[in-house]
């Protein structure tokens, strides 16, 4: 078998699917890093559950990408045998976890968007994606509830938890715009009703975030959404470290199974 | 982490086929909403239930273990309280 890195097709549908699969895999990996470190036993389980939901979404999307690409790749090849430049996830999801507030604020910003995104995708003309969306929309609704409840409790909690939540929001805000930005190579898919233009979700997303932030006594930053590039494969240093951990076993022992 | 900020809650789950909620365990959470979420994450991951109750443990009044013999021993030799001395008519069948 081939054991080196794979090269991706530039088919727009494959890239469209991989972008969301990579978001789910990378965020799921980040959340799984909390195993054994969560501030409460109860939260340990909650974060692991949410991590596994993301892993499940990633697997389903990779399988479908493999079917569409028809280049002999499987979900393992996508996850374990791509170099950082071939990963198409948002910069937001690859950010290191930071403290608990940082992890929760990121999950909140992302889930608020994804709950809208999956909801819209249930109407996709692509039957397979619409079916995946019907399942994912319930999972993400819960992720958003869990994250937003924590955001309110942290923001409206103690001076220390407010300070940490506000710091997290200030640091993550510049990364939040990438998921709201249309990708040029998805225009045709959007016109055909297969994909959706994330710009159309910008206002509803902002409304949800603004309303939660108000409850949490958090101040929305005015900084621009300056950090973008993951969707095109331009990643931060953090991504290399993340993949080193995620891919280690398959890179060191190609094709290993157990 | 048992502290005033993280009080203890008792969790009751009604299974898909069950009629009544059954006690399944306890957990720590900051408030009602968080307790319900934690109960969902801890106790229904394997499809165990369709309804959850959470109750502050502090709201439960328990019998005193030191009074166990006074409370429960007197019932142990009252076998006539068990409905096993009735003759069931044939027509009734299995009861």
């Amino acid at each position: 078998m081939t054991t080196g890195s794979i090269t991706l097709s530039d088919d727009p549908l494959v890239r469209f699917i991989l972008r969301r699969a990579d978001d789910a895999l990378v965020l799921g990996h980040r959340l799984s890093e909390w195993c054994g470190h969560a501030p409460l036993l109860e939260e340990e389980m909650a974060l692991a559950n949410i991590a596994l939901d993301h892993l499940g979404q990633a697997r389903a999307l990779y399988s479908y990408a493999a079917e569409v690409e028809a280049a002999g790749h499987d979900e393992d090849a996508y996850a374990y045998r791509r170099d950082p430049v071939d990963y198409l996830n948002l910069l937001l999801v690859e950010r290191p976890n930071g403290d608990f507030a940082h992890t929760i604020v990121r999950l909140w910003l992302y889930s608020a968007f994804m709950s809208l995104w999956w909801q819209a995708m249930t109407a996709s003309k692509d039957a397979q994606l619409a079916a995946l969306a019907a399942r994912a929309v319930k999972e993400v609704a819960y992720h958003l509830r869990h994250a937003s409840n924590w955001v309110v409790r942290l923001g409206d909690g103690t001076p220390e938890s407010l300070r940490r939540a506000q710091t997290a929001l200030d640091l993550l805000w510049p990364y939040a715009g990438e998921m709201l930005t249309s990708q040029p190579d998805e225009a045709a898919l959007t016109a055909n009703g297969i994909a959706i233009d994330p710009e159309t979700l910008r206002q509803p997303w902002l409304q949800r975030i603004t309303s939660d932030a108000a409850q949490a006594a958090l101040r929305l930053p005015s900084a621009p959404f300056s950090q973008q590039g993951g969707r095109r494969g331009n990643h931060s240093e953090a991504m290399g470290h993340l993949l080193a951990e995620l891919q280690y076993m398959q890179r060191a022992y190609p094709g290993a199974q157990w | 982490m048992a502290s005033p900020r993280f009080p203890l809650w008792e969790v009751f789950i009604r299974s898909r086929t069950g009629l009544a909620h059954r006690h399944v365990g306890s957990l720590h959470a900051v408030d009602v909403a968080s307790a319900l979420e934690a109960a969902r994450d801890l106790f229904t991951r394997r499809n165990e239930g369709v309804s959850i109750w959470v109750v502050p443990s502090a709201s439960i009044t328990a019998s005193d273990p030191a009074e166990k013999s006074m409370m429960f021993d007197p019932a142990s030799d009252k076998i006539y309280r068990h409905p096993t001395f009735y003759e069931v008519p044939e027509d009734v069948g299995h009861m």
Side-chain angles (χ1 to χ4, degrees):
Chain A
M1 72 181 290
T2 42
T3 53
S5 299
I6 61 170
T7 316
L8 288 184
S9 119
D10 51 10
D11 178 278
L13 182 55
V14 172
R15 293 175 71 84
F16 173 79
I17 301 166
L18 285 178
R19 279 172 178 148
R20 280 73 200 183
D22 292 347
D23 288 347
L25 178 71
V26 172
L27 184 60
H29 183 84
R30 280 296 185 218
L31 291 172
S32 76
E33 291 174 355
W34 275 98
C35 275
H37 301 279
L40 288 167
L41 182 59
E42 289 78 357
E43 191 57 24
E44 172 94 11
M45 299 289 288
L47 288 175
N49 281 350
I50 295 174
L52 284 171
D53 284 350
H54 283 101
L55 193 59
Q57 291 174 7
R59 290 193 59 180
L61 287 165
Y62 284 140
S63 293
Y64 185 45
E67 201 183 309
V68 175
E69 192 183 21
H73 300 143
D74 60 7
E75 44 187 287
D76 282 355
Y78 290 130
Y80 295 129
R81 289 172 42 215
R82 267 184 301 155
D83 294 329
V85 292
D86 287 320
Y87 263 84
L88 303 172
N89 55 279
L90 303 165
L91 295 182
L92 177 70
V93 296
E94 75 195 42
R95 298 306 303 149
N97 283 335
D99 61 15
F100 181 66
H102 196 91
T103 296
I104 287 294
V105 167
R106 176 183 53 196
L107 183 63
W108 167 58
L109 294 171
Y110 176 76
S111 303
F113 176 77
M114 288 309 286
S115 71
L116 296 164
W117 191 83
W118 281 118
Q119 187 61 54
M121 284 299 290
T122 57
S124 170
K125 292 249 171 67
D126 184 308
Q128 188 103 7
L129 289 173
L132 288 179
R135 197 188 70 180
V137 78
K138 298 182 205 165
E139 294 176 345
V140 178
Y142 185 78
H143 304 166
L144 176 58
R145 171 186 291 193
H146 187 75
S148 61
N149 277 347
W150 264 120
V151 164
V152 172
R153 277 155 190 76
L154 293 171
D156 196 20
T158 65
E160 175 70 3
S161 67
L162 170 62
R163 185 186 64 76
R164 286 175 183 253
Q166 186 65 58
T167 304
L169 184 55
D170 292 344
L171 286 172
L172 289 166
W173 191 255
Y175 294 92
E178 188 169 22
M179 59 193 175
L180 310 168
T181 307
S182 314
Q183 301 302 320
D185 60 353
E186 292 177 2
L189 293 171
T190 304
N192 292 334
I194 291 171
I196 46 162
D197 182 352
E199 284 290 347
T200 60
L201 306 177
R202 186 181 285 256
Q203 275 317 312
W205 175 82
L206 198 57
Q207 256 171 29
R208 170 72 196 229
I209 293 298
T210 307
S211 136
D212 287 351
Q215 265 198 71
L218 289 171
R219 179 179 35 75
L220 284 195
S222 51
F225 294 133
S226 50
Q227 298 290 340
Q228 310 213 10
R231 283 280 184 257
R232 296 187 307 275
N234 299 330
H235 292 281
S236 61
E237 183 188 346
M239 187 66 182
H241 297 295
L242 183 148
L243 286 183
E245 168 91 21
L246 190 150
Q247 298 185 333
Y248 163 76
M249 191 64 82
Q250 282 299 323
R251 294 292 195 177
Y253 305 97
Q257 294 194 339
W258 66 86
Chain B
M1 201 193 294
S3 76
R5 279 211 188 106
F6 288 92
L8 195 63
W9 303 77
E10 300 301 323
V11 181
F12 300 81
I13 303 277
R14 186 163 68 77
S15 67
R16 203 168 292 276
T17 52
L19 296 173
H21 287 71
R22 293 181 60 139
H23 184 242
V24 294
S26 54
L27 54 83
H28 291 100
V30 286
D31 54 28
V32 185
S34 308
L36 261 185
E37 281 178 24
R40 181 258 194 196
D41 290 330
L42 287 165
F43 296 111
T44 66
R45 310 171 69 226
R46 300 184 182 87
N47 229 359
E48 288 94 337
V50 291
S51 171
I52 303 174
W53 289 350
V54 287
V55 179
S57 304
S59 301
I60 291 179
T61 308
S63 59
D64 181 353
E67 294 180 345
K68 205 170 116 216
S69 54
M70 176 197 77
M71 295 280 278
F72 307 113
D73 285 358
S76 67
D77 59 355
K78 311 288 194 298
I79 52 167
Y80 50 84
R81 288 180 181 168
H82 295 269
T84 50
F85 299 96
Y86 301 94
E87 284 190 16
V88 180
E90 287 279 330
D91 296 349
V92 174
H94 181 70
M95 256 181 90

